[in-house]
Amino acid sequence: MDRLVKPDVKELNLVFTRTHKCSATFQLTNLMHTMSVAVILDTTNPSRFYFHHPLAVLPPLATVSFTLFLSDQPPLAALPDTVLVRSSIVLAGKTNQENLHLLFSKPGRHIFNDATIPINFVGHDILDFLLSSPISRTINTSFVLSQAIQFCNENELTSLLRSSAKTGNLLFVSSLVTAGANVNHRDVDGESVMSLAIRSGNVDVVRVIVESNFVIDHSVDRFLHDAARVNGEEIMEVLCMSYLDIDINSVDSRGQTALHIAANLGYIEVLQFLVTLGSDSDVVDNNGWTPLHCASREGHVAAVEFLLSSSIFVKYAVTKDGKTAIALAYENDHKDLYDMLYLRDVLHRAATVNDVNGLNKCLAEGAMVNGKDQNGWTALHRAAFKGRVESVELLLSHGARVDMVDNDGCTALHRAVDAGHSQVAMLLVAQGARASMKSLIDHMVFDFGSSKNHPFLVDPLC
């Protein structure tokens, strides 16, 4: 005989609720045919669990019920809490509480360790508690989850799925979907589980939702907008690869595309992804705002620079309130944008027409001497192409770089050679411009005279 009593359960499932006293009941049966057995019940966490009557006497072959109560919040730990059942044969007349306490106070062979019953917290509320409590980071969450999830119905599973998608909890989302949560559920406002997952910023959670056969509704879903708000370039890639009919230029209630959202937040990687896939950088919202207007108002330098390179005319677009991108930058004191939105154009025009005074004024106001236009041309490219010697000299004196290349890989020297301006070309060479570049090979029809007089043309590949 290795035990005197037998429990009717192998595990004790305690349905946790936030609003009611939590308890779980089980039974112990006396296995002795002729003798009474005393039992004492304890737990591995007595500060959180208790029995109203932890000491009891079971008559021969009798079955008695015991109820375990939870004192406070779930005492979740790395290992499950347990109920400890010890027993001992009790003599007639020795069944009062004092004698029973004395009986179990002395260890020995008369004490049987009859059972160790794991305590499992189950039900919707325990999972909701895990999702919202920092304690979940310090316990074996997967164990608690696997036990508790079995006691949830489909509605509870789906409710938990929405909560876990919102927090980006991959373990919960995966487990809940496998257990039968409705991945295509939408709330009364039509908000989907997918939208919640995207806003969490967790691309792995989004993948799980996609792979669980989520059905997109293009009439209401604006998932690229959601992804843009969380700088989710990877999420966008997953969405575009999974839903090939997704509209890269779809608009929300304000008439804004995902490109507007990314521009407003300055998320350059998202902007690059969207434009690469065909998003229109010239599109305007209900108030006539382009993505460039949004980026300019917020002062996002990299975003403004990228959007300018994506469209030739967007710089001059005017909102319904009559404001350009530069006007919005001025209003919000974003001085870093003045050059690329306004001064650069003025500088380039002055270089083109050889307006030396205009160049000096523009540079004094903060224009960047090496700023490029949408074709990659600097002011030096323009002055060289037009043969403006005075402008070239002035720009060089203000730090213009002779080695900068445009979108075709050409330097200012190439452009001077292309246009046949020998004086400018020689001036650039004197300032360190190399003659062994692309355009000089392609356009050797340019007449400098004999190569003996111009040694920098002897070997264009040197």
Side-chain angles (χ1 to χ4, degrees):
M1 174 70 65
D2 59 353
R3 63 179 176 176
L4 302 179
V5 298
K6 179 181 179 180
D8 66 336
V9 295
K10 292 184 178 180
E11 298 178 325
L12 194 57
N13 294 314
L14 194 154
V15 179
F16 173 74
T17 59
R18 294 180 183 270
T19 57
H20 297 87
K21 193 72 173 178
C22 304
S23 63
T25 299
F26 63 101
Q27 295 181 330
L28 293 176
T29 299
N30 183 354
L31 300 177
M32 305 302 292
H33 289 262
T34 59
M35 291 180 288
S36 295
V37 172
V39 296
I40 185 169
L41 305 178
D42 201 356
T43 68
T44 51
N45 199 334
S47 64
R48 293 291 180 89
F49 296 100
Y50 66 93
F51 293 92
H52 282 310
H53 304 289
L55 274 170
V57 176
L58 281 62
L61 299 179
T63 298
V64 177
S65 295
F66 297 86
T67 301
L68 175 72
F69 295 92
L70 176 65
S71 301
D72 198 356
Q73 296 287 4
L76 300 174
L79 297 174
D81 294 294
T82 57
V83 173
L84 307 174
V85 181
R86 293 185 294 156
S87 65
S88 181
I89 294 174
V90 63
L91 299 177
K94 299 289 186 178
T95 58
N96 60 62
Q97 291 291 304
E98 182 179 352
N99 285 329
L100 292 177
H101 277 292
L102 183 61
L103 176 67
F104 287 106
S105 66
K106 299 178 180 179
R109 296 180 64 183
H110 65 288
I111 303 296
F112 289 77
N113 295 316
D114 280 333
T116 300
I117 308 172
I119 303 170
N120 299 323
F121 289 95
V122 300
H124 171 275
D125 281 15
I126 187 62
L127 296 176
D128 187 59
F129 174 84
L130 278 176
L131 277 171
S132 59
S133 173
I135 196 173
S136 63
R137 304 189 193 102
T138 64
I139 66 165
N140 187 350
T141 306
S142 58
F143 174 81
V144 179
L145 177 59
S146 64
Q147 298 296 317
I149 206 168
Q150 302 174 50
F151 290 79
C152 297
N153 59 39
E154 183 179 339
N155 288 337
E156 290 173 331
L157 291 173
T158 301
S159 173
L160 288 164
L161 177 63
R162 294 185 65 86
S163 297
S164 55
K166 186 176 181 178
T167 60
N169 192 312
L170 179 61
L171 173 61
F172 270 69
V173 169
S174 301
S175 300
L176 290 164
V177 168
T178 301
N182 181 8
V183 75
N184 284 297
H185 179 269
R186 294 174 184 265
D187 65 12
V188 293
D189 297 320
E191 185 177 56
S192 67
V193 173
M194 177 66 87
S195 181
L196 295 171
I198 293 170
R199 291 175 196 169
S200 78
N202 190 327
V203 65
D204 293 322
V205 171
V206 172
R207 286 194 183 98
V208 170
I209 302 298
V210 168
E211 292 165 2
S212 301
N213 299 317
F214 176 82
V215 179
I216 193 172
D217 182 350
H218 294 294
S219 65
V220 296
D221 292 329
R222 295 294 176 267
F223 294 152
L224 294 180
H225 292 68
D226 293 332
R229 290 186 179 92
V230 297
N231 200 18
E233 180 204 354
E234 284 188 89
I235 292 175
M236 286 184 171
E237 185 175 350
V238 170
L239 292 171
C240 291
M241 291 180 64
S242 303
Y243 304 103
L244 299 180
D245 56 344
I246 199 167
D247 183 5
I248 202 78
N249 288 306
S250 64
V251 297
D252 60 17
S253 59
R254 297 181 298 171
Q256 293 195 335
T257 64
L259 201 65
H260 283 90
I261 306 299
N264 190 59
L265 296 169
Y267 293 149
I268 187 66
E269 292 84 3
V270 172
L271 289 173
Q272 291 169 341
F273 178 84
L274 290 169
V275 169
T276 300
L277 261 65
S279 188
D280 184 3
S281 57
D282 292 321
V283 67
V284 296
D285 65 12
N286 297 344
N287 293 315
W289 284 53
T290 65
L292 180 63
H293 287 110
C294 298
S296 299
R297 177 188 59 188
E298 301 301 323
H300 298 307
V301 175
V304 168
E305 188 169 25
F306 173 76
L307 290 167
L308 287 173
S309 69
S310 302
S311 173
I312 298 175
F313 304 109
V314 69
K315 183 187 298 186
Y316 310 106
V318 179
T319 68
K320 288 185 176 180
D321 294 333
K323 295 179 179 179
T324 60
I326 185 59
L328 291 167
Y330 271 117
E331 280 183 11
N332 294 280
D333 199 30
H334 297 311
K335 297 178 181 179
D336 289 346
L337 300 180
Y338 295 175
D339 172 65
M340 66 180 73
L341 289 174
Y342 174 68
L343 292 176
R344 189 173 301 176
D345 284 354
V346 177
L347 184 73
H348 284 215
R349 283 196 294 270
T352 302
V353 299
N354 207 30
D355 181 1
V356 174
N357 290 332
L359 285 174
N360 275 316
K361 181 181 177 182
C362 201
L363 290 167
E365 290 178 358
M368 304 297 290
V369 70
N370 291 305
K372 292 185 175 184
D373 65 13
Q374 68 274 6
N375 297 311
W377 281 36
T378 64
L380 188 63
H381 280 86
R382 290 186 174 274
F385 184 70
K386 289 293 186 178
R388 311 303 191 189
V389 175
E390 295 85 353
S391 292
V392 169
E393 290 176 336
L394 177 63
L395 292 168
L396 290 172
S397 70
H398 281 78
R401 290 172 51 186
V402 296
D403 59 342
M404 294 192 71
V405 296
D406 61 19
N407 295 349
D408 294 321
C410 296
T411 65
L413 177 58
H414 296 145
R415 296 309 178 190
V417 172
D418 288 343
H421 300 301
S422 59
Q423 188 176 357
V424 170
M426 295 177 69
L427 176 59
L428 291 170
V429 170
Q431 292 296 317
R434 289 178 57 83
S436 57
M437 308 294 281
K438 171 181 177 291
S439 199
L440 296 180
I441 301 171
D442 296 339
H443 303 284
M444 290 303 292
V445 295
F446 177 62
D447 183 15
F448 276 118
S450 71
S451 59
K452 181 171 67 175
N453 295 326
H454 302 285
F456 64 90
L457 285 181
V458 171
D459 184 359
L461 296 179
C462 66

